[in-house]
Amino acid sequence: MADAGEPEGPERKDDIVKAKQEGKELTKEEKQRLRKEKKQQKKSKEKKDDKPSRDSEKEKKPASAASPAPQTPTQPPAQKAPSAAPAPVPVPASETPSAADKPAKSKAELKAERRARQEAERASKGKKGDVGPQAAPGKPKAPPSELQPVVKRLPEHVQVDNPEVLKKLAKKLERQQTPEYNAATKVKIPLRSDYGYKVSLFSHLHQYSRKAPLTQQLGIPSTVIHPAIVRLGLQYSQGIVAGSNARSVALLHAFKQVIRDYTTPPNEELSRDLVNRLKPYISFLNQCRPLSASMGNAIKYIKKEISNIPSQCKEEEAKRKLLNCIDCYINEKIVLAAKAIAKYSIEKISDGDVILVYGCSSLVNHILCEAFEKNRKFRVIVVDSRPRLEGREALRRLVQKGINCTYVLISAVSYILPEVSKVFLGAHALLANGYVMSRVGTSQIALVAKAFNVPVLVCCETYKFCERVQTDSFVSNELDDPDDLIVTRTGTTQLEHWQEVPSLGLLNLVYDVTPPDFVDLVITDLGMIPCTSVPVVLRVKNVDQ
Amino acid sequence: MELQAVLMAAGGGSRMTDLTYNTPKAMLPVGNKPLMWYPLNLLERMGFEEVIVITTKEVQKMMSTDPKMKLDVKMKLDVVCIQEDGDMGTADALRHIQQKIKTDILVVSCDLITDVALHEVVDLFRAHNATLAMLMSKAHEFTETVPGQKGKKKTAEQRDFVGVDQSGKRLLFMANEADLEDGLSIRKSIMRKHPRMHIKTGLVDAHLYCLKKAVVDFLADNKSISSIRGELVPYLVRKQFSKTTNCPKIKDDAEDQNQKKNDGSTNHGHSSCLSFSLDRSCWNDHRGDMSEAYHGGKLRCYVHIMDEGPCYRVNTLAAYIEANRLAPKLFEEVPVHPSAVISERCQMGSDSYIGAMCQIADKTSIKRSTIGNSTTVKEKVKVANSIIMHGVTIEEGCNIQGSVICSNAVIGRGADLKYCLVGNGQQIEPEGKDHWHEHTP
């Protein structure tokens, strides 16, 4: 165990003794540390050059528990609070010299240490080679005599003027993408690079250009990724398949194709191998366009179904079962749900109504068409916004049916609202705290409707309910191609060279969140519920499954 | 598997018979590599691992002996030989190999030299579930003087009229000047669906097509179509807009065939699910009218037009010379092959290319020329702007400018050739002065 000339050996034993004195809480930590030591012994060759520096530091700080928390300042690459996704913390706390020297630690600090160490282990599993160069330049900044945690460095998202910080952030963002090399299936997915200047508030998100598709880096014909998935990815990135339902349905159909063409390799089980096969496809699709909440739920369902296939099941039968499951899922969660929602909504639409819709939601269009067929007398106001101008498509579908429509841009919403009796909105996802995530502009409409006391009804199938919680539109969103904002009018394109203007950034957001105070009713296939009942539905769903 | 590559290398080179009467077009040396190496290299770089090569027995024999083909081409070549009589068109050839074709195909012609990013063409094919996707390029002017032609004789080029929609990707109309009697007529149905159409004439068809498998099956049934470019492509472009009653027999055939099979094959499964998702998608390829995406049409033809970048079809002498000039630069050829023996007092320009096992003697000057393998150049020879093929012997004191000397020719001592075309195995007598723009077959 703690021998083989590790200089920290004796200190570890000290710590273990101390731990026993300080109570049970440390034993888990100690166990972790011992486990880590074992791992380190395997990697001891790499760390040889770090040893001397470590030794000297260790001499200065005998009893330190190599706390990762105070080490935060010494390592420039963001060691933010664990809220960020696994930060590339250089491997084990013990490797880089600790800066703090505290004899007694409070529970909170110990917890922080443990958390950071766990992250370090997680990071070390993923990036083995990365650490060497990072650890070497990491010099101890704090003077040895300091007892307090070192000066907190400014977290990176505030240091936007610093180009090196931006570069490191970009690198970190790249590494956060699912690993290039999927060791399980030996498949290498190329990374799609970001495009253009990103507005600082959203620099943690990816921004891609439609003119640089991911297929550029793949070979033709695609053997690494199933052709149906490549086709799907292209359709996503070019916007041919857009809209939450359409994307989910297309995804499920593509997976059906993958399953049809799948053959179990010898000595492998279908239930495990197929899931591994799907992983690189999902990361490919994620890079073409970030997955929506509905797609995420669909993927979870499929993975669960695949894992539940009994091992003695023959391949043909297993495939048939899976295809059947997928068909059932589409039928139940999308087609039948739409029918149920239409039935409930039609109760809410009365004759003489003026209904306001925003953008193009397949569900809302379906509801309105059904209501029209049931001979309800109403007219529709379609609100649209740039740059997507999806309202035109909604307008086309409704007018084709024969519904009386008006078309305005979102800037006219407050002028037109006095005429409106109801607002029907579609949703991309319903979050666990009751917030509605939908196309950008929806929260505006809901806000103005609230101001005018117009009821806002959100229509959403239950498969779009997601366990995530967010209260603002910054934390998690999608950045679309900034070049979409460029428009040519009367021969001149003003923003053509926007990249050359250093102080200009184009922001093309896709989603925003609407707080539940603005939403009066959510119509789902389970019935009409208030916005705050979403967690109940989620709990019920989990119990069912 | 997604795409199968098919290389058409059986063409006769009917527009440059001077060069091809002895050497088949596919094996003409361009930059000291056989012509068909270029499309094969393009396919290899893109990631293809297998190619079906349709060619003649003669070309197959030459391929097996050519060092470049054996070493550089790492893909598996499945060579299918057809008769040389020239009656078989490209579509007939496809019909011939119908059994080998299991998925959608990418048809390439052997005389294409380009470095296009193929994914642009294939992405159109994939994303829109197109029946046909092809590549075209803006035509480049040929600046070199063509040997063997006195004066600037502009052959009456038959122009191609290509109509694309506003995005520049969808192919709406294609016709050759020869087929139009007095005017260009466009059907009203096309104009109604696509009110803005751009008609371009200065485009070169690269003869690179992505075709659905259903098209190959359709060809098997319709034996009357014999050429892809001449008949099949215009037929498909026209069929995009025909009424639904006699609508794409192609698609229906495919769906019928696939329904007979038990597994839902890609074609049928995909088109139905695509329409299911497109119904729910808020996307449309056009705006301003009441129809759905693609106007509900099942057959779609797309074209990718290259604005910049080299794209040559080597089917005329002028193109051949231009290609010789530019192709080596494209592929960063080593100017001098390591096995060539060049004496120190030879002046070689930087854009000359010397092939393997050449022997260049003293006091020679070689500028902007390509010299083939196993060529012997004796002393005091000046070669400028010329193409010298394999196995040529050039005796002392010759002066060769702007000419093309075919394989195994012998240029006698002191000959003076300007803008000449010397055929295969010919001999120019010594002291032949002032050959100018001559053409010795």
Side-chain angles (χ1 to χ4, degrees):
Chain A
M1 267 280 263
D3 46 22
E6 287 278 311
E8 19 172 27
E11 287 158 21
R12 289 279 183 239
K13 285 186 191 137
D14 279 346
D15 286 341
I16 295 176
V17 167
K18 217 181 18 155
K20 287 191 182 140
Q21 291 166 2
E22 282 186 35
K24 285 185 220 159
E25 208 174 67
L26 279 179
T27 50
K28 251 192 238 170
E29 268 187 37
E30 292 313 305
K31 281 188 200 160
Q32 276 181 12
R33 227 180 282 149
L34 294 174
R35 248 183 276 145
K36 232 191 320 145
E37 265 192 36
K38 273 196 211 159
K39 260 190 236 158
Q40 275 183 20
Q41 278 170 13
K42 287 181 201 165
K43 297 185 240 167
S44 60
K45 285 175 211 160
E46 280 175 56
K47 308 296 182 278
K48 259 190 189 136
D49 41 350
D50 289 316
K51 267 197 199 171
S53 60
R54 218 183 339 131
D55 283 357
S56 56
E57 296 312 314
K58 283 293 172 191
E59 248 97 87
K60 289 182 200 163
K61 300 140 199 144
S64 83
S67 48
Q71 269 184 12
T72 314
T74 67
Q75 289 310 122
Q79 289 219 10
K80 290 187 214 172
S83 62
V89 175
V91 159
S94 55
E95 179 185 1
T96 45
S98 64
D101 187 16
K102 293 181 70 184
K105 295 182 190 86
S106 64
K107 266 194 189 173
E109 276 159 349
L110 289 170
K111 267 198 191 152
E113 283 175 32
R114 209 184 328 148
R115 227 182 294 135
R117 214 175 295 132
Q118 280 176 349
E119 275 178 19
E121 285 182 17
R122 228 179 291 142
S124 72
K125 279 185 207 151
K127 306 126 195 167
K128 290 187 185 172
D130 240 345
V131 181
Q134 271 193 1
K139 292 177 206 132
K141 291 223 175 124
S145 57
E146 207 169 304
L147 290 175
Q148 311 234 320
V150 189
V151 171
K152 284 215 181 83
R153 290 188 98 237
L154 212 54
E156 272 162 33
H157 55 258
V158 186
Q159 288 183 21
V160 267
D161 322 326
N162 194 345
E164 288 120 32
V165 169
L166 279 178
K167 231 192 298 177
K168 273 188 218 130
L169 199 59
K171 246 198 272 174
K172 183 167 73 108
L173 208 55
E174 270 190 33
R175 269 189 254 115
Q176 274 176 21
Q177 297 230 9
T178 42
E180 271 193 35
Y181 187 69
N182 186 335
T185 51
K186 312 247 181 308
V187 158
K188 198 170 162 95
I189 309 285
L191 272 180
R192 197 174 180 191
S193 46
D194 283 349
Y195 166 75
Y197 170 71
K198 279 194 275 198
V199 173
S200 56
L201 268 177
F202 296 95
S203 50
H204 60 289
L205 301 169
H206 289 282
Q207 180 171 282
Y208 301 126
S209 166
R210 200 160 293 139
K211 296 199 200 69
L214 195 49
T215 48
Q216 236 169 2
Q217 295 153 4
L218 290 176
I220 309 162
S222 71
T223 40
V224 157
I225 303 188
H226 192 277
I229 303 281
V230 175
R231 198 183 281 141
L232 188 64
L234 267 178
Q235 285 171 342
Y236 282 166
S237 61
Q238 293 183 10
I240 296 176
V241 176
S244 191
N245 280 339
R247 285 165 74 190
S248 307
V249 168
L251 176 74
L252 290 169
H253 278 292
F255 276 174
K256 270 169 70 176
Q257 193 55 48
V258 169
I259 291 173
R260 262 187 228 121
D261 293 340
Y262 171 77
T263 47
T264 324
N267 303 331
E268 296 276 355
E269 269 199 35
L270 184 136
S271 54
R272 252 170 279 153
D273 188 62
L274 187 52
V275 177
N276 282 340
R277 202 63 81 81
L278 290 180
K279 278 201 193 117
Y281 298 165
I282 294 167
S283 72
F284 171 77
L285 290 175
N286 199 19
Q287 289 197 62
C288 289
R289 192 169 163 199
L291 295 179
S292 65
S294 54
M295 286 164 73
N297 287 343
I299 290 173
K300 259 191 239 152
Y301 174 77
I302 291 187
K303 282 192 178 166
K304 191 172 72 79
E305 287 299 315
I306 295 177
S307 319
N308 284 347
I309 296 224
S311 48
Q312 63 268 29
C313 202
K314 271 200 278 278
E315 188 179 315
E316 282 310 313
E317 200 189 313
K319 285 208 254 182
R320 215 171 1 102
K321 222 197 292 191
L322 284 174
L323 293 176
N324 210 12
C325 280
I326 296 182
D327 280 333
C328 281
Y329 187 84
I330 296 179
N331 200 24
E332 278 171 35
K333 307 276 183 186
I334 302 179
V335 178
L336 289 177
K339 282 206 187 111
I341 295 177
K343 195 168 68 84
Y344 289 126
S345 316
I346 289 175
E347 294 167 27
K348 290 285 173 195
I349 299 178
S350 31
D351 285 347
D353 258 347
V354 179
I355 299 179
L356 185 124
V357 297
Y358 177 63
C360 183
S361 162
S362 56
L363 188 53
V364 173
N365 290 345
H366 176 82
I367 291 171
L368 294 176
C369 294
E370 289 279 309
F372 190 73
E373 272 166 34
K374 297 247 169 27
N375 295 322
R376 292 276 196 277
K377 304 274 176 295
F378 59 91
R379 68 182 179 93
V380 175
I381 299 182
V382 179
V383 179
D384 201 6
S385 71
R386 275 200 68 224
R388 285 177 172 244
L389 290 169
E390 288 169 341
R392 292 192 290 199
E393 188 55 25
L395 184 67
R396 181 187 72 77
R397 286 175 203 204
L398 295 174
V399 172
Q400 212 176 23
K401 280 279 175 177
I403 303 175
N404 208 338
C405 293
T406 310
Y407 176 87
V408 291
L409 288 181
I410 194 168
S411 38
V413 119
S414 52
Y415 296 109
I416 202 115
L417 255 167
E419 298 179 13
V420 172
S421 62
K422 288 189 182 66
V423 176
F424 269 81
L425 298 174
H428 172 256
L430 235 58
L431 305 174
N433 55 352
Y435 278 65
V436 177
M437 182 180 218
S438 186
R439 191 62 88 215
V440 65
T442 312
S443 58
Q444 274 296 69
I445 305 246
L447 173 68
V448 180
K450 183 85 182 162
F452 280 88
N453 274 326
V454 173
V456 173
L457 294 90
V458 170
C459 307
C460 181
E461 300 97 334
T462 46
Y463 87 107
K464 289 184 192 159
F465 284 19
C466 132
E467 320 239 326
R468 230 178 24 203
V469 170
Q470 81 188 62
T471 52
D472 60 53
S473 316
F474 303 111
V475 156
S476 148
N477 206 324
E478 187 189 326
L479 292 178
D480 208 358
D481 191 349
D483 290 339
D484 283 349
L485 294 174
I486 304 176
V487 73
T488 307
R489 289 224 170 91
T490 63
T492 50
T493 317
Q494 302 287 12
L495 285 175
E496 202 168 358
H497 305 286
W498 68 274
Q499 305 220 38
E500 291 158 26
V501 182
S503 52
L504 180 62
L506 294 189
L507 178 66
N508 191 354
L509 276 182
V510 181
Y511 298 117
D512 71 5
V513 283
T514 309
D517 326 323
F518 298 154
V519 176
D520 293 307
L521 194 65
V522 176
I523 308 180
T524 70
D525 40 321
L526 292 176
M528 300 193 259
I529 59 176
C531 234
T532 43
S533 301
V534 171
V536 176
V537 171
L538 279 172
R539 213 180 325 131
V540 166
K541 250 195 338 173
N542 286 340
V543 164
D544 278 346
Q545 289 170 356
Chain B
M1 240 220 308
E2 193 188 354
L3 277 181
Q4 271 176 294
V6 177
L7 180 69
M8 299 282 186
S14 49
R15 273 183 270 182
M16 40 184 198
T17 43
D18 319 320
L19 295 174
T20 56
Y21 74 97
N22 212 344
T23 327
K25 182 168 82 161
M27 295 305 283
L28 276 180
V30 173
N32 293 336
K33 290 202 252 281
L35 183 55
M36 65 193 285
W37 183 87
Y38 290 91
L40 285 174
N41 182 264
L42 175 70
L43 291 173
E44 191 170 340
R45 263 183 302 129
M46 289 292 134
F48 278 92
E49 286 168 359
E50 288 188 6
V51 183
I52 301 176
V53 180
I54 300 182
T55 182
T56 58
K57 285 213 175 42
E58 197 187 330
V59 174
Q60 185 184 26
K61 213 168 35 166
M62 289 179 75
M63 262 170 61
S64 51
T65 53
D66 189 298
K68 261 283 173 338
M69 297 290 288
K70 274 205 293 223
L71 296 173
D72 282 359
V73 177
K74 301 206 177 44
M75 303 182 287
K76 186 165 94 75
L77 298 180
D78 180 8
V79 183
V80 173
C81 289
I82 60 171
Q83 295 301 334
E84 268 171 58
D85 47 18
D87 272 357
M88 238 193 183
T90 39
D92 297 325
L94 276 186
R95 207 173 293 131
H96 185 73
I97 56 166
Q98 196 214 351
Q99 298 305 322
K100 289 187 190 261
I101 295 191
K102 310 262 179 295
T103 68
D104 304 335
I105 56 173
L106 173 69
V107 179
V108 190
S109 172
C110 66
D111 53 11
L112 176 67
I113 298 181
T114 180
D115 68 348
V116 70
L118 254 189
H119 75 89
E120 309 251 4
V121 178
V122 181
D123 279 352
L124 281 176
F125 183 68
R126 291 164 173 156
H128 298 275
N129 201 22
T131 313
L132 162 74
M134 54 189 285
L135 173 69
M136 288 191 138
S137 160
K138 291 219 162 71
H140 305 272
E141 280 296 316
F142 292 140
T143 48
E144 305 277 337
T145 339
V146 179
Q149 277 179 2
K150 291 195 170 60
K152 290 255 177 181
K153 195 175 18 157
K154 275 246 159 113
T155 46
E157 288 286 324
Q158 292 288 344
R159 288 183 297 176
D160 269 330
F161 290 93
V162 177
V164 292
D165 76 341
Q166 212 169 351
S167 66
K169 297 281 173 200
R170 180 94 188 261
L171 192 53
L172 302 174
F173 180 80
M174 178 178 277
N176 191 287
E177 199 174 342
D179 299 327
L180 308 165
E181 290 95 46
D182 45 358
L184 194 75
S185 49
I186 301 182
R187 295 196 0 218
K188 229 199 253 181
S189 60
I190 307 181
M191 292 303 291
R192 231 178 274 131
K193 291 180 183 168
H194 299 269
R196 304 201 96 183
M197 196 192 305
H198 298 268
I199 301 195
K200 304 184 186 233
T201 50
L203 293 180
V204 165
D205 184 346
H207 280 230
L208 191 147
Y209 308 107
C210 272
L211 292 167
K212 267 209 150 74
K213 178 170 184 314
V215 176
V216 180
D217 298 334
F218 165 75
L219 276 182
D221 295 333
N222 291 49
K223 302 217 190 316
S224 58
I225 298 184
S226 73
S227 155
I228 297 184
R229 174 62 175 89
E231 292 164 42
L232 183 63
V233 171
Y235 174 79
L236 289 175
V237 173
R238 265 197 322 267
K239 262 288 188 245
Q240 285 179 99
F241 301 105
S242 57
K243 298 256 187 285
T244 11
T245 43
N246 34 318
C247 183
K249 220 167 113 256
I250 301 170
K251 237 1 197 241
D252 294 343
D253 277 352
E255 297 196 17
D256 283 337
Q257 280 172 22
N258 293 328
Q259 272 161 3
K260 285 177 204 153
K261 297 186 198 142
N262 272 339
D263 56 336
S265 96
T266 19
N267 228 349
H268 172 65
H270 183 73
S271 52
S272 73
C273 91
L274 183 63
S275 53
F276 193 60
S277 342
L278 276 185
D279 268 345
R280 287 172 166 66
S281 170
C282 45
W283 177 83
N284 206 325
D285 65 324
H286 65 277
R287 65 178 188 92
D289 66 358
M290 293 296 281
S291 29
E292 49 184 359
Y294 304 128
H295 299 278
K298 300 271 185 289
L299 214 166
R300 299 183 273 281
C301 299
Y302 285 86
V303 62
H304 172 68
I305 301 182
M306 264 173 86
D307 282 332
E308 43 191 31
C311 175
Y312 300 103
R313 284 208 59 232
V314 179
N315 52 2
T316 60
L317 194 50
Y320 177 73
I321 294 174
E322 187 85 10
N324 254 299
R325 194 70 58 228
L326 294 164
K329 286 199 194 96
L330 261 190
F331 293 93
E332 285 164 18
E333 266 285 289
V334 169
V336 178
H337 197 277
S339 64
V341 173
I342 303 187
S343 73
E344 297 96 32
R345 284 156 66 183
C346 155
Q347 282 180 351
M348 224 187 60
S350 57
D351 40 6
S352 298
Y353 297 93
I354 315 280
M357 303 204 277
C358 282
Q359 291 184 341
I360 316 278
D362 292 342
K363 299 196 196 142
T364 49
S365 148
I366 301 177
K367 293 192 173 47
R368 292 189 81 219
S369 301
T370 314
I371 303 199
N373 302 334
S374 311
T375 302
T376 314
V377 179
K378 301 260 168 65
E379 289 92 12
K380 300 205 194 111
V381 168
K382 266 201 244 168
V383 180
N385 283 341
S386 300
I387 300 169
I388 316 239
M389 295 200 200
H390 309 303
V392 172
T393 310
I394 305 183
E395 304 285 346
E396 294 116 13
C398 289
N399 185 349
I400 302 176
Q401 271 190 47
S403 305
V404 177
I405 320 270
C406 293
S407 306
N408 304 318
V410 176
I411 312 292
R413 198 181 298 174
D416 189 8
L417 297 164
K418 290 194 177 56
Y419 305 112
C420 291
L421 173 59
V422 178
N424 220 297
Q426 288 298 313
Q427 291 204 345
I428 305 288
E429 65 274 6
E431 307 297 328
K433 288 267 184 247
D434 296 328
H435 288 261
W436 200 58
H437 274 287
E438 268 184 31
H439 180 225
T440 48

